[in-house]
Amino acid sequence: MDTVKFVLSEEQMPTSWYNIAADLPAPPPPPLHPGTGQPIGPDDLAPLFPMELIKQEVSTERAIEIPEEVQQVYRQWRPTPLYRARRLEQALGTPAKIYYKYEGVSPAGSHKPNTAIPQAYYNKQAGVKRLATETGAGQWGSSLALAGAMFGLEVVVYMVKVSYGQKPYRRALMETFGAKVIASPSDTTNAGRQILAEHPDSTGSLGIAISEAVEVAAMDANTNYALGSVLNHVLLHQTVIGQEALTQLEMAGDYPDIIVGCTGGGSNFSGIAFPFIGAKLRGERDVRVVAVEPAACPSLTRGTYAYDFGDTGHLTPLVKMHTLGSTFIPPGIHAGGLRYHGMAPLVSHLLDIGQIEANAVQQLDAFAAGVQFARAEGILPAPEANHAVAGAIAEALACKEAGESKTILFNLCGHGHFDMSAYMDYMAGKLQNYDYPAEEIAMALAGLPSVG
Amino acid sequence: MDTVKFVLSEEQMPTSWYNIAADLPAPPPPPLHPGTGQPIGPDDLAPLFPMELIKQEVSTERAIEIPEEVQQVYRQWRPTPLYRARRLEQALGTPAKIYYKYEGVSPAGSHKPNTAIPQAYYNKQAGVKRLATETGAGQWGSSLALAGAMFGLEVVVYMVKVSYGQKPYRRALMETFGAKVIASPSDTTNAGRQILAEHPDSTGSLGIAISEAVEVAAMDANTNYALGSVLNHVLLHQTVIGQEALTQLEMAGDYPDIIVGCTGGGSNFSGIAFPFIGAKLRGERDVRVVAVEPAACPSLTRGTYAYDFGDTGHLTPLVKMHTLGSTFIPPGIHAGGLRYHGMAPLVSHLLDIGQIEANAVQQLDAFAAGVQFARAEGILPAPEANHAVAGAIAEALACKEAGESKTILFNLCGHGHFDMSAYMDYMAGKLQNYDYPAEEIAMALAGLPSVG
């Protein structure tokens, strides 16, 4: 029998997170205070985050211990399985070996609890009563709602309005876990009211929702802010994915030639790729790493590497990243988790120094790949994950063309059980591709701040 | 650290199904031909099922080998985890130990693929091209759609109309796997047309949908029928659940005093309970076994143990079971998988000989239990599974009352990701309890056939 699933014991679960900052040739450009243009310090972040997370944000230690209380919750679904996609390989007729790490087994159905759990834990330890956050597709919001229920914290979620309408069941999941969900832009914050005054029909964006959640956290001493991607400590928490995959591929006697992940803010991509990129930076093993983003929100492939705000309301520090401009509002594609104008600074830095590549995939191609994957492997991917599936299939077909038996690893970051309306629209022919006109991107980029 | 999850290696997965017929003191009453009133033989079933499944239906061998091809697909998600519900125990303040076996990790989100996969396999082996079936909540239909995709069989699913409307996303999942889905009653069969002529507004029932699927299979030599519950071979396939739980509880150093499962047709209940009831029948270990059914469809607690048709159109053999009468159409409760007028003959037989008990639970109590479970354990149960959760919580509270530290095992047979509209209705106060008036049940039972 050919093994298709590689399972680790609980004892093989990583006990520390991997911090790529330790292996970078030079540190990425620091976040700047928008007023002074100077690098920000811990005090600037203290109103939003507990000190333990701020320390992780700036740490250069290679291994950061995972608290026992966090490991205990992780163990409910971790280690997650690694699969060899033999049926998909057969369907494609490729000599390539395709592996995928499946993060959809978590109680929220995606990789997001990997960081929601420690974020809730550290906030609880710091005496915080409530967390405010934003969510796109709802995967992050439901993960933080779950984490809040586990650690006894109130959670308020600003949900991008287009997703709030498209995904009522994700909202219901958050509410079942006890969270409060508000459609963004809303009239509960200055940032939201300002957007609504200018664009009453705004379908929202992650950038706007971040502004609302940050504002709520900044105004209330008992409330902290939690972010589901982009920041260094969030990417750090996701590295359990790649560390497990390394051990599982050892079991399989393999090492990836190519790693593929989808990118919105960059967290699931970083989670699977950073431990392997670390080995590459340390000169141990080579690997090609491909970030796949939606053509409708192409920060890595069509954005600029520049200092920009993380949110639309300009409440955050300035960070150097690939950005489409903080005023860019992407179309309401179904991969709501990838609708972010910027990119994690660490991912942008790695692209800038040539350690990773980036491709953009159209919505229809992503869904075609997802349906092909579901029929071959039995697992229905989330629309976000479909971008990684499409990227992996493209690499496997390139191997077929070249007659090369390469090893491809991709991150299947979540299941699509809450995204069936997207699949219904796809099967009914209602979805469309989106080529963003160059002048619209140029216009959005023209508004970039002049700092940095 | 207290272990909460008990994981088996693939090598510890059962390689045979457990057949309770081998351990029964006397065989259950045989199915009868409705025309002759005589026990049916293999030839009567041959138009609907492949011979391997017919052999399993009547086998008295204790262990029936699981084909390697089936084991290989099982391994995608099996062995499934067993959890100790420590957070729920704490929330209840009970001295009882609560364990749950979680079948929601399958690609269809429930225990149903345990039988869908072997059914598709044996039909494929027998040269069948297409499978016809019915589905209530959609869990069975999506499992058979998945199995069809795995083994290259066409699948047509008659979906109970009330669920077809309530659960469009389950339908979309089946269609994504490549199946054809038809709302039942439909005008594509004589059975369906007959119902529509009498009740144009019929919301359907499993009994009606079975008639339609059986008719389609009987009329077409290339099409066989597949049933998701009730029959002996279906219950047999589910025993992987209880066999794994036995091994996992050994790892935990425990043995259940009480086993709880929800019952519609009886398959998930049988899957977890039969291996333990077998040990009881063989005089090895005692155990209390509790079947929990919805008060809105109370076949075990308010039905009669008598020969009846398995379907509304009277196309099936007569089977002796606890039944509300084949014309009984239960109200459109959200636990669609439990809306069946009858019960698996093996389960009915076990209740008749005093080996199991049965309770009925109201819809609101089931959802209250489900929400409490979700907030404590992080996993959102399917509405069907909420009945088992409610039953387990009731036993745990009885232990608290009595100050007894008993061990409770229940089957969490599926997740509720496709049932969020039910949770939304519950949280909005739109759901109601349902006490079926005695005269309505008496009226339905008055129509029972006079055979047997």
Side-chain angles (χ1 to χ4, degrees):
Chain A
M1 202 272 319
D2 292 328
T3 306
V4 295
K5 186 177 62 173
F6 299 89
V7 180
L8 300 179
S9 69
E10 290 190 2
E11 292 69 38
Q12 291 171 292
M13 195 176 80
T15 55
S16 61
W17 293 297
Y18 165 68
N19 184 8
I20 199 170
D23 289 318
L24 289 174
L32 303 180
H33 191 288
T36 65
Q38 294 302 307
I40 57 164
D43 289 353
D44 295 303
L45 297 173
L48 299 182
F49 303 106
M51 199 44 68
E52 283 303 314
L53 291 178
I54 295 172
K55 281 189 207 162
Q56 291 179 1
E57 190 66 20
V58 298
S59 169
T60 53
E61 293 292 314
R62 182 173 287 118
I64 295 178
E65 199 181 337
I66 306 175
E68 176 54 36
E69 293 86 342
V70 172
Q71 289 190 46
Q72 200 160 340
V73 182
Y74 273 179
R75 286 193 191 98
Q76 193 188 47
W77 73 95
R78 302 212 73 85
T80 63
L82 177 85
Y83 289 98
R84 170 86 184 267
R86 289 192 186 272
R87 290 171 192 274
L88 179 63
E89 291 168 15
Q90 279 163 24
L92 297 171
T94 177
K97 292 190 271 187
I98 307 175
Y99 292 90
Y100 58 97
K101 181 74 170 163
Y102 184 41
E103 290 291 307
V105 295
S106 86
S110 78
H111 64 294
K112 294 289 186 184
N114 295 336
T115 185
I117 298 298
Q119 288 194 48
Y121 167 76
Y122 289 119
N123 274 288
K124 181 73 179 183
Q125 290 295 100
V128 171
K129 303 289 177 222
R130 189 171 77 142
L131 292 176
T133 196
E134 71 293 326
T135 198
Q139 284 174 331
W140 167 241
S142 47
S143 300
L144 197 69
L146 166 76
M150 298 285 109
F151 289 103
L153 287 166
E154 286 177 53
V155 174
V156 56
V157 182
Y158 286 88
M159 186 172 188
V160 175
K161 198 173 272 177
V162 61
S163 292
Y164 188 91
Q166 278 176 352
K167 298 175 195 283
Y169 293 171
R170 270 281 175 195
R171 175 164 43 98
L173 180 61
M174 294 183 249
E175 289 168 351
T176 303
F177 285 137
K180 185 176 176 189
V181 186
I182 298 169
S184 167
S186 78
D187 61 4
T188 66
T189 64
N190 288 327
R193 284 188 290 270
Q194 205 168 322
I195 295 286
L196 287 173
E198 287 173 39
H199 308 282
D201 299 330
S202 168
T203 55
S205 71
L206 276 174
I208 296 170
I210 292 173
S211 293
E212 295 205 86
V214 167
E215 183 182 322
V216 165
M219 304 287 274
D220 177 1
N222 287 317
T223 303
N224 261 357
Y225 171 66
L227 188 65
S229 191
V230 178
L231 296 176
N232 299 349
H233 69 267
V234 179
L235 277 47
L236 172 81
H237 299 156
Q238 294 295 350
T239 58
V240 288
I241 303 172
Q243 290 184 76
E244 287 180 7
L246 250 168
T247 311
Q248 288 163 313
L249 284 169
E250 265 173 38
M251 287 169 64
D254 258 322
Y255 196 89
D257 298 300
I258 306 164
I259 297 175
V260 178
C262 63
T263 46
S267 80
N268 95 78
F269 168 82
S270 303
I272 193 141
F274 278 9
F276 294 91
I277 297 175
K280 180 159 102 168
L281 290 168
R282 294 189 303 271
E284 294 163 13
R285 290 291 296 252
D286 199 20
V287 67
R288 259 186 70 213
V289 180
V290 184
V292 183
E293 65 183 7
C297 193
S299 57
L300 286 174
T301 54
R302 300 184 66 190
T304 293
Y305 187 45
Y307 270 100
D308 194 9
F309 289 99
D311 69 324
T312 308
H314 296 181
L315 300 175
T316 71
L318 290 167
V319 289
K320 190 154 186 189
M321 59 180 176
H322 288 81
T323 179
L324 296 160
S326 64
T327 57
F328 180 87
I329 296 188
I333 56 166
H334 277 287
L338 307 184
R339 291 176 75 249
Y340 182 58
H341 70 274
M343 182 51 59
L346 278 173
V347 174
S348 288
H349 180 63
L350 288 167
L351 181 63
D352 189 55
I353 64 175
Q355 288 291 326
I356 65 170
E357 308 165 25
N359 289 330
V361 164
Q362 287 286 3
Q363 179 161 242
L364 290 177
D365 297 330
F367 273 95
V371 170
Q372 181 172 29
F373 182 85
R375 291 185 184 179
E377 295 291 315
I379 299 174
L380 188 88
E384 293 81 5
N386 283 344
H387 291 75
V389 176
I393 288 178
E395 296 292 342
L397 292 177
C399 286
K400 183 181 182 178
E401 188 76 20
E404 291 176 323
S405 174
K406 290 190 175 165
T407 298
I408 301 166
L409 167 67
F410 75 93
N411 195 23
L412 191 68
C413 60
H415 66 61
H417 293 175
F418 289 97
D419 305 285
M420 292 314 302
S421 66
Y423 279 90
M424 288 169 76
D425 285 352
Y426 170 69
M427 289 187 287
K430 289 184 190 166
L431 296 189
Q432 58 190 25
N433 286 338
Y434 206 89
D435 283 307
Y436 230 88
E439 52 273 28
E440 283 192 46
I441 289 186
M443 206 168 69
L445 291 177
L448 283 180
S450 54
V451 206
Chain B
M1 202 271 319
D2 293 328
T3 306
V4 295
K5 186 178 63 172
F6 299 89
V7 180
L8 301 178
S9 69
E10 291 190 2
E11 292 69 37
Q12 291 172 292
M13 196 177 77
T15 56
S16 60
W17 293 298
Y18 165 68
N19 183 7
I20 199 170
D23 290 318
L24 289 174
L32 303 180
H33 190 287
T36 65
Q38 294 301 308
I40 57 165
D43 289 353
D44 296 303
L45 297 173
L48 299 182
F49 302 106
M51 198 46 67
E52 284 302 314
L53 291 178
I54 295 172
K55 280 189 206 160
Q56 292 179 0
E57 190 66 18
V58 298
S59 168
T60 53
E61 293 291 315
R62 184 173 287 118
I64 295 177
E65 200 183 334
I66 306 174
E68 177 52 37
E69 293 85 343
V70 172
Q71 288 189 47
Q72 201 161 340
V73 182
Y74 273 0
R75 285 193 192 98
Q76 195 190 42
W77 73 93
R78 304 210 71 85
T80 62
L82 177 84
Y83 289 98
R84 170 88 183 267
R86 289 192 187 269
R87 288 169 194 274
L88 179 63
E89 290 168 16
Q90 280 163 21
L92 296 171
T94 178
K97 291 190 271 186
I98 307 175
Y99 292 91
Y100 58 98
K101 181 74 169 162
Y102 184 40
E103 291 291 308
V105 294
S106 86
S110 79
H111 64 295
K112 294 289 186 184
N114 294 335
T115 185
I117 298 298
Q119 288 193 51
Y121 168 75
Y122 289 120
N123 274 288
K124 181 72 178 182
Q125 291 294 100
V128 170
K129 302 289 178 222
R130 189 171 77 141
L131 292 176
T133 197
E134 73 293 325
T135 199
Q139 283 174 331
W140 167 242
S142 47
S143 300
L144 197 69
L146 166 77
M150 297 284 108
F151 289 104
L153 287 166
E154 288 177 52
V155 174
V156 56
V157 182
Y158 286 88
M159 187 172 187
V160 175
K161 198 172 274 176
V162 61
S163 292
Y164 189 90
Q166 277 177 352
K167 298 173 196 287
Y169 294 171
R170 271 279 175 198
R171 175 162 44 96
L173 180 62
M174 294 183 250
E175 289 168 352
T176 303
F177 285 138
K180 185 175 174 190
V181 186
I182 300 169
S184 168
S186 78
D187 60 4
T188 66
T189 65
N190 288 327
R193 286 188 289 269
Q194 207 168 320
I195 295 285
L196 288 173
E198 288 174 38
H199 308 282
D201 297 331
S202 169
T203 54
S205 70
L206 276 175
I208 296 170
I210 292 173
S211 293
E212 294 205 86
V214 167
E215 184 182 322
V216 165
M219 305 286 274
D220 178 1
N222 287 320
T223 303
N224 261 356
Y225 172 66
L227 188 65
S229 190
V230 177
L231 296 175
N232 300 348
H233 69 267
V234 180
L235 276 48
L236 173 80
H237 299 156
Q238 294 295 350
T239 58
V240 287
I241 302 172
Q243 290 182 77
E244 287 179 7
L246 252 168
T247 312
Q248 288 162 313
L249 284 168
E250 264 172 39
M251 288 168 64
D254 256 321
Y255 195 89
D257 299 300
I258 305 163
I259 296 175
V260 178
C262 63
T263 48
S267 79
N268 94 77
F269 169 81
S270 303
I272 191 139
F274 279 9
F276 294 91
I277 297 175
K280 178 159 106 169
L281 290 168
R282 294 191 302 273
E284 293 163 14
R285 289 293 295 254
D286 199 20
V287 66
R288 260 185 71 214
V289 181
V290 184
V292 183
E293 63 184 8
C297 192
S299 57
L300 286 174
T301 54
R302 300 183 66 189
T304 294
Y305 186 45
Y307 271 100
D308 195 8
F309 290 98
D311 69 323
T312 308
H314 297 181
L315 299 175
T316 70
L318 290 165
V319 289
K320 191 155 183 187
M321 60 180 176
H322 288 82
T323 179
L324 296 160
S326 64
T327 57
F328 179 88
I329 297 187
I333 56 167
H334 277 286
L338 307 183
R339 291 177 72 248
Y340 182 59
H341 70 274
M343 182 50 59
L346 278 173
V347 174
S348 287
H349 180 64
L350 288 168
L351 180 64
D352 189 54
I353 64 175
Q355 288 291 327
I356 65 170
E357 308 164 28
N359 290 330
V361 164
Q362 287 286 1
Q363 179 161 243
L364 290 177
D365 297 329
F367 273 95
V371 170
Q372 181 172 30
F373 182 86
R375 292 185 183 179
E377 295 290 316
I379 299 175
L380 188 88
E384 293 81 4
N386 282 345
H387 291 76
V389 176
I393 288 178
E395 296 293 342
L397 292 177
C399 286
K400 183 182 183 179
E401 187 76 20
E404 292 176 322
S405 174
K406 290 190 175 166
T407 298
I408 301 165
L409 167 67
F410 76 93
N411 195 22
L412 191 69
C413 60
H415 66 59
H417 294 175
F418 289 96
D419 304 285
M420 293 314 301
S421 66
Y423 279 91
M424 287 168 77
D425 286 352
Y426 170 69
M427 288 187 288
K430 289 184 190 166
L431 297 189
Q432 57 190 28
N433 285 339
Y434 205 89
D435 283 309
Y436 230 88
E439 51 272 25
E440 280 191 50
I441 288 187
M443 207 168 70
L445 291 177
L448 284 181
S450 54
V451 205

